[in-house]
Amino acid sequence: MHIRRPALLGFFILLTLASVGQSADDFFKEAETAFASGDYRKAIGNYLMIRQIQPDNTSIFLPLAESYLRIGDPEPALPLLKAIVGQRRPEPRAFWLTGRALHLTAQYDLAVQAYKGYLQRTSDVDPLRDAVKADILRCGFGNRWQHSEAVAFVDNLGPMVNSDDDDLAPALSPNYPDRLYFSSNREGATGGTRNIQGLADPQGERKLDLYLTDRQPGGWSPPTPLPPLLNSAAHDIIQDMNADGSVLYFFKGQHMQAGQILTDTFSSGGEKALESSRFPGPVFAETGDIDLFFFNDSTALFAGRRTDGFGGTDLYILPYRNGQWLEPVNLGPKINTRWDERMPVLMADGVTLYFSSNHAKRSMGGFDIFQSAFDIGSRTWHQPVNLGAPICSPGDDLYFRPAPDGINAWLASNRPGGLGGFDLYAAFFKQPRLEQVSSKPVRSFFDILTSPPDERTLANEDAPLEKTPYSFKMIFFDTEEDITARQNQPTLDQAAALLNVYPDLQMAIQAHSDNTGTPMQYDLYYSIKRAERAREYLISKKGVSAGQISIQGFGPQYPQALESLQGKDNPQ
């Protein structure tokens, strides 16, 4: 905050000198326009001019306070909001903004009171109610966790690297340990301000460009934009690099929810391509896939909104075998929830996962950073653990990236006290993260699970893992055609992805029918036909080897669901 205010004061002085003759109405129009276009700093400057002309004009308090909150500065918003809620008939929105300001300053109990004040003054159909209820849960979590023992120190990279706009997506160079790549929409971004269609628009937003900075003895070097062939008038957001640093993966899109994942080889000279290539795997940024991370050249992870998900954005693993990327596999309900899970990072041990989630009962702000580990023996993830303050904050904490030494890490956060928007932070762990320190190459948990049973060991483990059966979600049907209907395809596709990874895996498809009075021999026949239908889909549509699949028909002898519940047909 102390870094941000002198810049705002200088802006205020310029306005005072350059605005002789302008009326309060003129400033109000400019403030409204700036607020509507998302230029909250300009809006603040104009609202402050109105306060100078009309000190008693309280009508601007609410948009001025919200503007402060939008740039991540809750402290000056609090007295404005206090004045509003003290009025005879305060606007309900003031209670929500008060809750946000108190929440961001870690005054969790007072924030809950303000949030409840908002709920008491709004109807059940108010569009913010669910979000406010979720923030009340987050305040409860923050209250319990704010005094927990800190596992690390966190430090803002400072004004040499961070700007008063968004600086995010840090990625450490594999070849230069003191070089950090990131994305920013700071002043001077390629293409200026653009609207959602990508057309030049003075009321639009600046898009994110790719930058690099080097850590030097005297601090960080001024950020350098990457070449124009990479930076464009669209959002350009770094995703990751391959193991030897020769390939850069980045997102390009007019807005951050849809675009393309592209690759660049950092090549130079006459052979340099004029356009970057699309990532060849089944990751579709056009429909929301994002946050691509490479554990090695044969295993990647990403986040996406897909039909087989659990709600919100889920995390997936993406295997590469026999010269091609296979279908991604959902990491399952221990990791993924109805909330948003983002930015997966698999540590060097191959089983420890870090990611961000906005789960209301597990986070103190918006997105917090979590750790989980995969247990190979039980084939399940441990319950994710919040890393706690100061790595996590009442704001959004994203893009966690560990350094190879297990001591240092990088993240982006819009927590209070930054320079504005998202800033880049360095984390220094008090104790080395042993999961990141590996003396020799290891395989990912997915590689181990899909290996032949006698090869399922980690590089640093001696005990072989037992062969464990795995069951997929059951498929329900009325007719044979239902077997491969749209609602059942995600389960079949997930099975195909696993079977295609290693040809030694075997799967048995077991089909059951109900007891509806049909002679048993017919029920048995039709259950086998249903199993054959599923097997044919996996072979002809998904390329699974026929030798990997066996089928069994049980007829009505071993029903998997009751025919009726409380006198009514069972919907399953």
Side-chain angles (χ1 to χ4, degrees):
M1 293 182 297
H2 65 284
I3 298 173
R4 190 159 53 236
R5 287 176 183 165
L8 186 59
L9 178 61
F11 181 51
F12 172 71
I13 293 171
L14 286 174
L15 276 174
T16 305
L17 296 174
S19 306
V20 177
Q22 282 188 276
S23 67
D25 288 342
D26 294 330
F27 287 119
F28 188 75
K29 291 177 181 177
E30 291 184 17
E32 279 193 317
T33 300
F35 186 94
S37 65
D39 191 348
Y40 299 109
R41 293 183 183 279
K42 184 176 180 180
I44 289 170
N46 283 284
Y47 286 130
L48 291 178
M49 288 304 302
I50 298 172
R51 290 199 72 184
Q52 186 180 24
I53 299 170
Q54 300 175 345
D56 298 327
N57 185 351
T58 59
S59 67
I60 65 168
F61 281 16
L62 195 65
L64 176 56
E66 184 164 355
S67 296
Y68 278 123
L69 290 175
R70 294 283 188 175
I71 66 170
D73 197 355
E75 293 287 355
L78 280 169
L80 298 169
L81 294 165
K82 184 178 180 180
I84 298 172
V85 298
Q87 294 174 348
R88 183 178 177 184
R89 303 179 74 176
E91 186 174 338
R93 187 175 180 83
F95 287 88
W96 173 62
L97 293 174
T98 301
R100 290 297 305 147
L102 293 166
H103 193 163
L104 287 169
T105 53
Q107 300 179 69
Y108 296 114
D109 288 335
L110 293 175
V112 169
Q113 293 179 27
Y115 284 141
K116 289 182 177 178
Y118 177 80
L119 295 177
Q120 292 165 2
R121 290 165 174 82
T122 54
S123 69
D124 290 341
V125 297
D126 184 272
L128 286 176
R129 286 186 72 87
D130 288 344
V132 171
K133 290 178 181 178
D135 279 335
I136 289 174
L137 294 175
R138 294 186 180 103
C139 285
F141 184 90
N143 221 357
R144 296 190 300 272
W145 276 69
Q146 65 177 330
H147 301 302
S148 60
E149 183 178 357
V151 299
F153 302 99
V154 174
D155 189 31
N156 190 298
L157 292 194
M160 182 59 74
V161 175
N162 290 314
S163 67
D164 58 7
D165 295 293
D166 287 327
D167 304 284
L168 44 78
L172 195 64
S173 168
N175 299 325
Y176 305 97
D178 292 320
R179 174 165 293 178
L180 194 67
Y181 293 89
F182 66 98
S183 294
S184 176
N185 63 348
R186 62 188 58 206
E187 188 73 36
T190 304
T193 55
R194 300 272 169 163
N195 61 22
I196 194 66
Q197 287 78 34
L199 303 176
D201 183 350
Q203 305 302 325
E205 64 172 355
R206 288 197 299 271
K207 307 294 185 179
L208 293 155
D209 276 355
L210 303 169
Y211 290 83
L212 67 83
T213 180
D214 292 311
R215 183 166 44 190
Q216 301 170 341
W220 291 92
S221 67
T224 302
L226 269 59
L229 287 174
L230 296 174
N231 285 325
S232 69
H235 284 302
D236 301 297
I237 307 173
I238 191 164
Q239 303 289 287
D240 202 3
M241 280 169 277
N242 70 338
D244 64 9
S246 62
V247 179
L248 171 72
Y249 301 91
F250 64 104
F251 168 92
K252 186 183 294 292
Q254 289 301 331
H255 55 91
M256 297 178 68
Q257 288 72 45
Q260 297 179 342
I261 302 292
L262 303 177
T263 67
D264 189 89
T265 58
F266 287 110
S267 58
S268 59
E271 298 301 317
K272 173 68 180 178
L274 295 179
E275 292 185 0
S276 300
S277 302
R278 294 192 62 165
F279 175 64
V283 177
F284 307 110
E286 299 90 337
T287 55
D289 292 344
I290 195 67
D291 305 334
L292 190 62
F293 167 82
F294 287 84
F295 173 71
N296 53 33
D297 290 341
S298 63
T299 303
L301 295 95
F302 70 95
R305 293 179 182 270
R306 293 181 166 231
T307 57
D308 63 343
F310 295 90
T313 305
D314 281 10
L315 302 184
Y316 292 80
I317 192 163
L318 183 68
Y320 184 86
R321 301 289 184 273
N322 301 320
Q324 64 178 344
W325 292 100
L326 305 181
E327 287 296 314
V329 178
N330 190 293
L331 294 192
K334 275 291 186 70
I335 299 297
N336 294 314
T337 68
R338 71 182 183 89
W339 303 91
D340 292 319
E341 281 70 47
R342 296 280 309 273
M343 288 89 182
V345 176
L346 191 62
M347 303 292 269
D349 65 357
V351 296
T352 303
L353 179 75
Y354 285 79
F355 63 98
S356 289
S357 174
N358 61 356
H359 193 301
K361 294 183 179 181
R362 299 177 183 172
S363 64
M364 65 184 71
F367 282 92
D368 280 8
I369 297 171
F370 294 81
Q371 175 191 7
S372 180
F374 192 84
D375 185 280
I376 300 296
S378 64
R379 304 170 68 93
T380 59
W381 291 97
H382 292 289
Q383 187 73 17
V385 176
N386 190 304
L387 293 190
I391 289 181
C392 300
S393 74
D396 290 311
D397 307 296
L398 299 160
Y399 299 102
F400 178 83
R401 286 298 178 94
D405 60 10
I407 295 290
N408 297 279
W410 315 98
L411 66 142
S413 177
N414 62 359
R415 64 187 65 190
L419 277 72
F422 278 90
D423 281 3
L424 299 178
Y425 288 81
F428 308 95
F429 286 99
K430 295 179 180 180
Q431 298 293 331
R433 311 302 282 185
L434 298 180
E435 64 267 19
Q436 181 64 358
V437 181
S438 176
S439 60
K440 49 187 174 180
V442 299
R443 296 179 293 168
S444 75
F445 69 92
F446 192 78
D447 291 332
I448 299 162
L449 287 178
T450 54
S451 299
D454 58 348
E455 296 179 10
R456 292 182 186 172
T457 58
L458 289 167
N460 57 351
E461 293 180 344
D462 297 320
L465 299 172
E466 294 182 3
K467 184 176 180 179
T468 307
Y470 181 83
S471 298
F472 291 93
K473 177 182 176 182
M474 283 195 294
I475 289 176
F476 296 97
F477 58 89
D478 286 326
T479 67
E480 186 173 323
E481 287 70 24
D482 289 341
I483 296 293
T484 55
R486 178 177 298 178
Q487 69 269 20
N488 290 329
Q489 287 180 9
T491 300
L492 293 170
D493 292 349
Q494 185 182 22
L498 287 169
L499 291 167
N500 279 323
V501 171
Y502 275 96
D504 295 323
L505 294 178
Q506 298 290 316
M507 185 175 78
I509 300 176
Q510 300 175 340
H512 304 260
S513 64
D514 59 10
N515 184 6
T516 56
T518 307
M520 183 177 295
Q521 63 268 30
Y522 292 113
D523 282 327
L524 182 61
Y525 169 78
Y526 284 116
S527 64
I528 293 174
K529 295 296 289 183
R530 268 57 167 183
E532 287 180 344
R533 179 89 175 198
R535 181 175 182 268
E536 180 61 25
Y537 175 88
L538 294 172
I539 295 170
S540 63
K541 300 293 186 182
K542 295 298 175 179
V544 176
S545 171
Q548 292 179 265
I549 306 171
S550 61
I551 61 173
Q552 294 174 290
F554 290 93
Q557 291 179 298
Y558 304 99
Q560 300 299 297
L562 297 175
E563 295 171 31
S564 62
L565 294 173
Q566 298 178 346
K568 298 180 179 180
D569 287 342
N570 185 348
Q572 293 186 332

